[in-house]
């Protein structure tokens, strides 16, 4: 009672565990899965991922989950079902669970399973089957994985869920702190389960999604089962997520449960699994090749592996002066005021605007 | 803003008192392991459990240090102690030749794995009924049903004082009333009526979820004392966790329950946790009160204010089924006037506990906080902190908006201070049990002994002029006197 006039006593704490939304992107590239089919068939991977999903949902009944397949030619919703595009935005009426299409026709309930887990399992298995069945031979011609599309879908979903959550929070609790509502509403997180190499042609859209995620404070985690997911390393690094490479894919559940179960809340107090050396190489905008050394437009920072045609930037159209790139260095008579002889004529010349400078 | 005196019975306290064998029994059932995990553990502890769940071997306790950042050591220790209190992890005793190891207790591990993978034949998530569901029973119906039952109970708690609501004609069942009285949420007053106790007010301030648990735990304790009913607390608790993991709006089979659990149903119907249709006795529906038992914040150290804030958020996430705190509606002005935009008789009744209500309109009541009204509340055992917490938690949107714009506290500081001061008025005297020392041989001896008492921290009061002092303990002073005598 000594502290009668301490002003912090007037404020009432508003601490409450914020629910978290986990978006899992499963790379369903058939070729890649066939390659590791001996150690980890897709069916087993899905079963393990479902256990992980259940574990995430077990944390709190306000936690939500969404699963997206990044397929060879498109990104597809696994859960919540794509047939009900408006479902995820619906106000939650049963404690925050994402309502589902097939909740209307519930599967025969088993007494041995938590009802919500059973729903998700049926939905995901059905959508995976659909996806596999609808894959045609032509689809297999392309070997890329539509990662950027899936990332964008996941981000949209998180954004939608967050805003609907905070909107309802404002309405119901008269908490009109509009600036803080984004944080108190929902914490989003994306987990990519990658099996294939990063496709250079996907560089730009992927990085766009990554920067959007970083802006929205959505962490991107990656579990790379095989292949060389260069861009995802950068994604994890930029968004403060965890990148885990799994040398033995059959232990997928251990990797998931140990390294990736902690949500943003718990991560504040946990030591994150160490980052591998991050491959920061970018892909060029003109041919989609990963480059060590290239040219950068000084106006829009586009990267090219070779000087673009007509020395015009392909992105912004700026006329670039390449100087005398490629010509032999020549000795220039010394200028009167400078004592040192400048190294003119080398490829490094480019301090003036409008010229292309080599990028690392 | 914690209230230290007489906290109402909480699930954590109840569970922590249970012996390890009881936990082993509880954890045999996957739904129970799942529910305790979800409801009782802090975030970090949950992460630890998940990480250890699929570990084949025990891990070294030392390794846990490596998981956690150095600055989060306190949270780690707290998480670990909670895990141990619930007998979820087992840590080997420290010994010289083997480092300490920790692992999940076997029953918990097996059950948790089953819960996550959905295997086994334990049937602990409820057996759905195959019979056709009566068409009139849907989620809305169940919500209305549960809300009515629960508000009846809350009304019974508040209606004992102040504002008499008209809706108390059909209050809760007699057994529930007895339970509330024996649980000392209200007590019988000399005049023959009943009055709310401090525990009762704490109960009112809790979020609906915690209220349900408080009542259920009272019930469990009552049943534990009264063995002839043939109900065993462990099994009852397990059944509550089963209910918690059921799905709202689905019918479950009564016949699949053990007889013990079937016997629990009538009481649960009284609490509004389940609904049994009149013409179809072989099925029951869990209501939202039951299915949200394991939701809500897992904070085990919930103070009143957090509870109230949680109540407001809990209501919004669950769609406002238990409308005791549907929406902030109370405006408090610096001139001690209170306006509440509500027509809930329950909320009016709660306000009447500490406000002098003057006028009532169709959707609003007005009144003021007076010295008399606050003192009356304090006489009921309600503390100033509780009143302030209640007002803050129910503050109207307009109050929040102004507070935000002017960067000032939500409640007017002058009112908050005054409420506290009114409480302090009653606390002008403080009693301490102890011993008075007087009639020393000379002033020097008095000074020495009083100085000694002050040093060891037992001195309560001293008067150098009269040569007297008052101490709360005398043993050490006695010894000191003896030594002094010997030295002379």
């Amino acid at each position: 009672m000594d502290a009668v006039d301490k002003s912090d006593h007037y404020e009432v704490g508003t601490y409450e565990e914020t629910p978290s939304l986990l978006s899992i992107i499963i790379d369903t590239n058939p070729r890649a899965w066939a390659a590791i089919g001996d150690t980890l068939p897709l069916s087993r991977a899905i079963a393990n991922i479902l256990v992980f999903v259940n574990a995430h949902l077990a944390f709190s009944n306000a936690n939500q989950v969404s699963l997206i397949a990044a397929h060879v030619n498109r990104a597809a919703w696994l859960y919540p079902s794509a047939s009900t595009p408006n479902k995820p935005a619906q106000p939650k009426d049963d404690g925050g669970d994402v309502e589902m299409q097939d909740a209307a026709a519930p599967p025969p309930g088993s007494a041995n399973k938590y009802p919500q887990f059973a729903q998700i399992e049926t939905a995901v298995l059905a959508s995976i089957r659909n996806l596999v069945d609808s894959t045609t031979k032509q689809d297999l011609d392309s070997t890329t994985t539509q990662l950027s599309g899936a990332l964008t879908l996941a981000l949209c979903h998180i954004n939608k869920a967050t805003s609907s959550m905070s909107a309802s929070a404002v309405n119901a609790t008269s908490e009109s702190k509009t600036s803080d509502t984004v944080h108190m509403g929902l914490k989003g997180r994306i987990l990519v389960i990658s099996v294939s190499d990063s496709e250079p042609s996907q560089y730009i859209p992927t990085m766009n999604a990554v920067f959007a995620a970083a802006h929205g404070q959505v962490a991107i985690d990656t579990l790379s089962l095989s292949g060389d997911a260069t861009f995802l390393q950068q994604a994890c690094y930029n968004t403060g997520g965890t990148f885990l490479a799994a040398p033995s894919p059959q232990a997928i559940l251990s990797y998931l449960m140990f390294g990736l179960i902690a949500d943003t809340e718990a991560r504040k107090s946990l030591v994150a699994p160490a980052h591998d050396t991050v491959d920061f190489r970018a892909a060029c905008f003109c041919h989609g090749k990963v480059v060590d050394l290239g040219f950068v437009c000084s106006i829009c920072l586009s990267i090219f592996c070779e000087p673009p045609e007509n020395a015009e930037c392909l992105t912004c159209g700026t006329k670039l002066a390449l100087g005398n790139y490629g010509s032999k260095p020549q000795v220039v008579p010394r200028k009167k005021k400078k004592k040192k002889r400048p190294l003119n004529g080398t490829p490094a010349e480019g301090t003036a605007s409008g010229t292309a400078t080599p990028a690392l | 803003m914690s209230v230290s005196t007489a906290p109402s019975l909480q699930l954590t306290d109840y569970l922590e008192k249970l012996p390890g064998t009881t936990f082993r029994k509880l954890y045999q059932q996957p739904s129970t392991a799942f529910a305790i995990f979800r409801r009782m553990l802090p975030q970090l502890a949950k992460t630890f459990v998940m990480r250890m769940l699929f570990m084949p071997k025990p891990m070294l306790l030392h390794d846990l240090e490596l998981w956690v950042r150095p600055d989060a050591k306190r949270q780690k220790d707290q998480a670990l102690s909670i895990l141990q209190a619930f007998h979820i992890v087992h840590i080997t005793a420290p010994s010289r030749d083997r480092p300490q190891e920790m692992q999940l207790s076997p029953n918990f591990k097996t059950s948790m794995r089953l819960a996550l993978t959905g295997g086994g034949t334990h049937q602990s998530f409820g057996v759905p009924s195959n019979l056709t569901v009566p068409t009139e029973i849907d989620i809305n119906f169940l919500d209305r049903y549960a809300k009515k039952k629960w508000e009846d109970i809350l009304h019974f708690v508040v209606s004992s004082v102040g504002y008499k609501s008209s809706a108390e004609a059909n209050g809760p069942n007699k057994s529930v009333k007895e339970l509330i009285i024996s649980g000392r949420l209200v007590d019988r007053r000399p005049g023959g009526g009943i009055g709310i106790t401090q525990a009762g007010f704490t109960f009112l301030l809790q979020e609906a979820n915690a209220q349900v648990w408080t009542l259920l735990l009272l019930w469990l304790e009552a049943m534990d004392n009264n063995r002839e009913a043939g109900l065993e607390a462990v099994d009852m608790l397990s059944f509550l966790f089963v209910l918690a993991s059921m799905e709202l709006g689905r019918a479950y089979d009564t016949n699949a329950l053990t007889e013990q659990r079937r016997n629990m149903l009538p009481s649960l119907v009284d609490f509004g946790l389940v609904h049994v249709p009149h013409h179809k006795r072989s099925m029951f529906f869990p209501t939202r009160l039951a299915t949200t038992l394991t939701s809500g914040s897992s904070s085990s150290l919930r103070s009143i204010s957090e509870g109230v804030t949680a109540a407001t958020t809990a209501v919004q996430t669950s769609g406002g089924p238990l409308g005791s705190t549907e929406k902030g509606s109370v405006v408090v002005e610096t001139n001690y006037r209170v306006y509440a935009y509500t027509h809930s008789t329950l909320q009016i009744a709660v306000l009447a506990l500490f406000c002098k209500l003057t006028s009532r309109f169709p959707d609003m009541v007005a009144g003021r906080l007076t010295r008399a009204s606050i003192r009356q509340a304090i006489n009921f055992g309600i503390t100033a902190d509780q009143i302030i917490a209640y007002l803050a938690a129910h503050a109207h949107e307009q109050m929040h908006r102004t507070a935000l714009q002017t960067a000032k506290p939500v409640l007017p500081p002058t009112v908050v201070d005054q409420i506290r001061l009114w409480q302090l008025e009653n606390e002008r005297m403080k009693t301490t049990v102890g011993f008075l020392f007087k009639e020393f041989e000379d002033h020097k001896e008095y000074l020495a002994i009083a100085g000694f008492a002050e040093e060891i921290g037992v001195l309560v009061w001293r008067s150098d002029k009269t040569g007297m002092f008052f101490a709360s303990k005398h043993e050490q002073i006695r010894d000191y006197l003896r030594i002094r005598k010997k030295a002379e």
Side-chain angles (χ1 to χ4, degrees), chain A:
Chain A
M1 274 306 141
D2 301 333
V4 163
D5 54 359
K6 267 199 173 171
S7 52
D8 55 329
H9 276 230
Y10 302 132
E11 291 299 339
V12 181
T14 51
Y15 171 75
E16 175 74 352
E17 250 172 48
T18 36
S20 84
L21 165 61
L22 174 67
S23 287
I24 300 183
I25 296 173
I26 305 172
D27 181 352
T28 52
N29 190 333
R31 288 169 195 273
W33 280 106
I36 60 164
D38 296 337
T39 48
L40 179 75
L42 180 61
S43 56
R44 246 198 25 233
I46 297 286
N48 282 322
I49 291 168
L50 281 174
V51 173
F52 176 70
V53 166
N54 292 350
H56 171 75
L57 292 174
F59 268 62
S60 154
N61 70 338
N63 276 5
Q64 300 179 30
V65 77
S66 68
L67 283 99
I68 301 161
H71 209 50
V72 273
N73 56 348
R74 64 185 186 279
W77 280 104
L78 296 180
Y79 175 88
S81 318
S83 49
T84 55
N86 60 339
K87 280 286 173 179
Q90 276 194 348
K92 333 279 167 299
D93 58 359
D94 51 354
D97 304 341
V98 174
E99 268 251 74
M100 284 182 33
Q101 163 73 357
D102 41 5
S110 149
N112 299 323
K113 227 173 241 180
Y114 190 59
Q116 194 191 1
F117 295 172
Q119 277 177 18
I120 294 180
E121 186 181 309
T122 6
V124 169
L125 291 184
S127 344
I128 285 268
R129 186 142 301 283
N130 260 341
L131 185 72
V132 171
D133 288 346
S134 65
T135 307
T136 57
K137 231 173 173 179
Q138 289 82 34
D139 291 345
L140 291 180
D141 292 344
S142 64
T143 54
T144 54
T145 300
Q146 293 294 332
L147 196 61
S148 58
L151 275 176
T152 319
L153 268 187
L155 280 173
C156 291
H157 180 66
I158 288 175
N159 188 33
K160 200 168 174 183
T162 311
S163 53
S164 76
M165 189 85 157
S166 48
S168 69
V170 166
N171 292 340
T173 65
S174 69
E175 198 82 35
S176 50
K177 298 176 182 172
T178 37
S179 56
D180 286 333
T181 43
V182 178
H183 298 288
M184 62 169 256
L186 190 74
K187 281 175 304 188
R189 179 159 76 95
I190 297 177
L191 167 64
V192 186
I193 294 174
S194 155
V195 286
S196 45
D197 297 339
S198 285
E199 169 65 32
S201 68
Q202 288 262 306
Y203 178 75
I204 300 167
T206 307
M207 286 323 271
N208 282 342
V210 167
F211 291 130
H215 183 72
Q217 293 183 331
V218 174
I220 299 182
D221 299 330
T222 305
L223 178 67
S224 166
L225 295 174
S226 75
D228 184 16
T230 326
F231 301 155
L232 284 172
Q233 286 183 16
Q234 295 185 32
C236 297
Y237 182 85
N238 280 332
T239 56
T242 308
F243 183 88
L244 274 186
S248 41
Q250 62 270 36
I252 173 172
L253 188 59
S254 300
Y255 289 110
L256 288 173
M257 289 295 257
F258 194 85
L260 301 163
I261 189 74
D263 70 355
T264 26
E265 181 88 25
R267 277 184 199 185
K268 277 180 211 150
S269 42
L270 288 176
V271 178
H275 263 289
D276 286 15
T277 43
V278 181
D279 189 347
F280 279 116
R281 285 182 305 165
C284 69
F285 285 32
C286 47
H287 302 87
K289 283 190 284 192
V290 176
V291 288
D292 288 321
L293 207 64
F295 297 83
V296 178
C297 168
S298 55
I299 301 296
C300 67
L301 302 182
S302 304
I303 300 162
F304 305 104
C305 58
E306 58 187 38
E309 250 177 82
N310 304 330
E312 238 172 56
C313 174
L314 298 180
T315 313
C316 62
T318 313
K319 188 91 175 143
L320 299 170
L322 272 170
N324 35 16
Y325 168 70
S327 59
K328 274 184 196 165
Q330 55 183 15
V331 183
V332 180
R334 163 209 314 211
K335 281 183 185 162
K336 274 176 191 166
K337 279 183 186 169
K338 284 192 183 166
K339 289 186 179 161
K340 265 189 190 169
R341 169 181 303 222
L343 288 168
N344 267 354
T346 56
E349 182 215 49
T351 42
S353 80
T355 48
T357 48
L360 275 183

Side-chain angles (χ1 to χ4, degrees), chain B residues 454-469:
Chain B
E454 190 156 23
E455 258 171 44
I456 60 169
V458 296
L459 185 85
V460 180
W461 170 85
R462 68 188 279 176
S463 160
D464 290 348
K465 206 168 87 187
T466 50
M468 290 198 287
F469 73 88

Side-chain angles (χ1 to χ4, degrees), chain B residues 437-484:
Chain B
F437 293 78
K438 59 177 185 179
E439 292 171 15
F440 292 95
E441 287 180 2
D442 51 21
H443 196 66
K444 208 174 123 201
E445 189 187 17
Y446 159 76
L447 283 179
I449 296 170
F452 174 76
E454 190 156 23
E455 258 171 44
I456 60 169
V458 296
L459 185 85
V460 180
W461 170 85
R462 68 188 279 176
S463 160
D464 290 348
K465 206 168 87 187
T466 50
M468 290 198 287
F469 73 88
F470 189 83
S472 56
K473 282 198 184 101
H474 73 284
E475 289 87 359
Q476 279 168 292
I477 298 176
R478 191 188 57 202
D479 294 346
Y480 180 73
L481 276 170
R482 204 171 292 153
I483 294 167
R484 244 180 96 86

Side-chain angles (χ1 to χ4, degrees), chain B residues 44-87:
Chain B
L44 195 61
K46 286 180 185 168
T47 314
F48 287 162
V49 170
M50 279 303 178
R51 282 187 167 191
M52 288 193 291
L53 188 59
F54 287 94
M55 275 187 190
K57 279 185 260 170
M59 62 173 284
L60 295 179
L61 187 60
H62 176 72
D63 285 350
L64 193 66
E65 312 258 315
L66 302 179
W67 290 6
V68 184
R69 286 183 200 210
D71 53 338
K73 191 169 179 312
R74 209 174 54 80
Q75 285 99 309
K76 185 209 81 175
D77 290 340
Q78 195 199 347
L80 209 56
S81 72
I82 291 175
L83 286 176
Q84 273 181 295
F86 289 118
H87 300 267

